[in-house]
Amino acid sequence: MKIALIAHLKFPIAQPYPGGLEMHTHLLAGALKRRGHDVTLFASEGSDPALAPVYVCQPTGDGLGDPLRHASIDRAENAAYARIMDAVRNGDFDIVHNNSLHDWPLRRSRDLAIPMVTALHTPPFESLEAGVRAAPVTMPFAAVSNHTADAWREIVAEPVVIGNGVELSVFVYRPVPDPVPHVFWSGRIVPEKGLHLAIDAARAAGLPLHFAGPRPNPAYWADWIAPRLGDDLTDLGHLGHADLARHLGGARAALVTPRWEEPFGLVVAEALACGTPVAGFRRGALPDILDASCGALAEPDDVASLSDAIVRAVALDRRACRQRAEDLFDADAMTAGYEALYEAALAAHDLSRLPPPRLRRVAGAQA
């Protein structure tokens, strides 16, 4: 297939990844190419040149609550997505995969003569919900977890659930962790990811914490993380996947502390692939993707509950964790799921373009 893959534009699609959506888009583009598809990735500048992306603008960023900055981002993104949709409409594509979280591709999808599928990576929010409502009623949607599908159910009746995948050859199984016991946390260092709660819970459990991730919110770091720094914490910075896998595999447990309804949580899949059990808050998709063999859940935002979950998690079998990842989070299985969705969309689109059947006169019927 000749596939147009529309990324979101806030950050480059490149390592070290700012977040899970950048990782997912990069992984999907590469996997589809390796499976023989002709993929054109529309993305912001700085995206991995190995993917041969079409650069459409500078990364737009996220605004961090600045209304003037948000207005500027909106203008830049609206113009960039308009250019993308013009290029898609005029290109020789078979299908469009919309991974953008932006309403403009959805609104403009009515202009296309080819089918488009949209992946839902977040719960509904105002602009994306408006875009979904403006899209053709026949558009296929995928959701990254049962939790996310349920969140969209009133607007998208039957999204196909295609869980996110990880490269099992990168996140290799470690049957034995590092000799010095510690736990690990990774993600964007922002309030909604809850690093400060992970620090407090690890201390309560008596285990050092190693953590990694970008710092897009200086105020959160200054007010909530810097005052907690001590000899039992190791800041590893922003890691690429090879280093991230090495540190995940060396930990006794991975801490996952979302303070919002996390739609998936790629770090969970990455940790399990390495054989590292997960201790996390019972929130969002975590109860969907963890079971008692590989994770221990805590009450949301409750440090004492998370500390108890850490103690339970470190006792779990690492081979069972890897098996859970192989069963549910193989990147090849994820890619095959999207291929099946594309094929179904193309078949439905071709059927919709057939002329209506001729009415046959039934013998003996009156004119």
Side-chain angles (χ1 to χ4, degrees):
M1 299 179 215
K2 189 171 182 183
I3 304 166
L5 177 55
I6 304 176
H8 85 142
L9 304 175
K10 296 188 178 301
F11 306 105
I13 307 303
Q15 294 197 52
Y17 302 115
L21 183 53
E22 294 82 16
M23 177 269 178
H24 167 83
T25 304
H26 191 285
L27 176 61
L28 181 63
L32 288 169
K33 284 174 176 284
R34 288 191 296 273
R35 292 166 82 99
H37 300 289
D38 182 354
V39 180
T40 299
L41 173 66
F42 294 92
S44 58
E45 294 180 14
S47 295
D48 186 353
L51 298 175
V54 174
Y55 299 125
V56 295
C57 63
Q58 291 284 336
T60 59
D62 58 14
L64 287 177
D66 180 343
L68 292 178
R69 176 72 179 128
H70 272 297
S72 174
I73 289 171
D74 286 344
R75 289 192 297 272
E77 290 185 347
N78 287 342
Y81 283 116
R83 292 193 297 274
I84 290 173
M85 295 307 290
D86 286 342
V88 169
R89 184 184 58 193
N90 296 323
D92 183 26
F93 295 104
D94 297 312
I95 196 162
V96 185
H97 182 125
N98 174 30
N99 231 22
S100 70
L101 303 183
H102 199 276
D103 64 314
W104 200 242
L106 289 156
R107 295 179 187 277
R108 287 283 305 273
S109 63
R110 291 181 176 274
D111 300 340
L112 301 178
I114 57 173
M116 182 167 96
V117 303
T118 291
L120 300 169
H121 294 272
T122 68
F125 57 89
E126 185 176 358
S127 62
L128 185 58
E129 182 178 332
V132 169
R133 292 186 185 279
V137 295
T138 55
M139 179 178 291
F141 288 89
V144 296
S145 65
N146 290 326
H147 172 81
T148 302
D150 289 342
W152 281 97
R153 196 78 65 183
E154 291 185 6
I155 306 164
V156 180
E158 293 297 333
V160 177
V161 177
I162 303 176
N164 287 334
V166 299
E167 290 185 281
L168 298 178
S169 61
V170 173
F171 291 91
V172 297
Y173 175 52
R174 286 272 303 274
V176 179
D178 290 346
V180 179
H182 65 276
V183 291
F184 184 74
W185 183 99
S186 68
R188 289 180 299 118
I189 300 176
V190 293
E192 61 267 27
K193 295 294 185 177
L195 172 58
H196 64 288
L197 298 175
I199 293 171
D200 293 349
R203 280 188 173 140
L207 284 166
L209 176 69
H210 297 187
F211 66 92
R215 301 184 197 173
N217 190 323
Y220 174 66
W221 177 270
D223 293 344
W224 292 89
I225 305 304
R228 287 173 162 82
L229 295 178
D231 293 341
D232 58 345
L233 300 183
T234 301
D235 179 4
L236 299 167
H238 194 185
L239 301 177
H241 262 192
D243 288 333
L244 177 61
R246 180 166 55 85
H247 286 286
L248 267 171
R252 301 301 169 101
L255 309 191
V256 183
T257 51
R259 305 200 70 203
W260 71 305
E261 297 302 308
E262 188 76 58
F264 186 82
L266 270 166
V267 68
V268 176
E270 293 164 350
L272 296 182
C274 294
T276 302
V278 173
F281 289 143
R282 191 188 311 276
R283 177 174 272 152
L286 264 67
D288 291 348
I289 60 181
L290 289 173
D291 66 12
S293 73
C294 60
L297 293 173
E299 294 309 306
D301 301 331
D302 187 325
V303 168
S305 181
L306 182 59
S307 175
D308 176 70
I310 294 170
V311 173
R312 289 183 283 125
V314 299
L316 294 174
D317 179 59
R318 296 179 71 90
R319 178 65 247 181
C321 296
R322 174 67 181 196
Q323 190 61 55
R324 182 76 169 176
E326 291 176 356
D327 291 345
L328 297 183
F329 308 126
D330 186 345
D332 287 337
M334 176 196 75
T335 308
Y338 280 112
E339 286 178 318
L341 185 63
Y342 303 158
E343 290 165 0
L346 284 164
H349 182 73
D350 290 343
L351 188 62
S352 72
R353 299 175 70 184
L354 291 175
R358 290 176 178 270
L359 294 176
R360 259 189 326 132
R361 188 183 298 278
V362 179
Q366 295 185 357

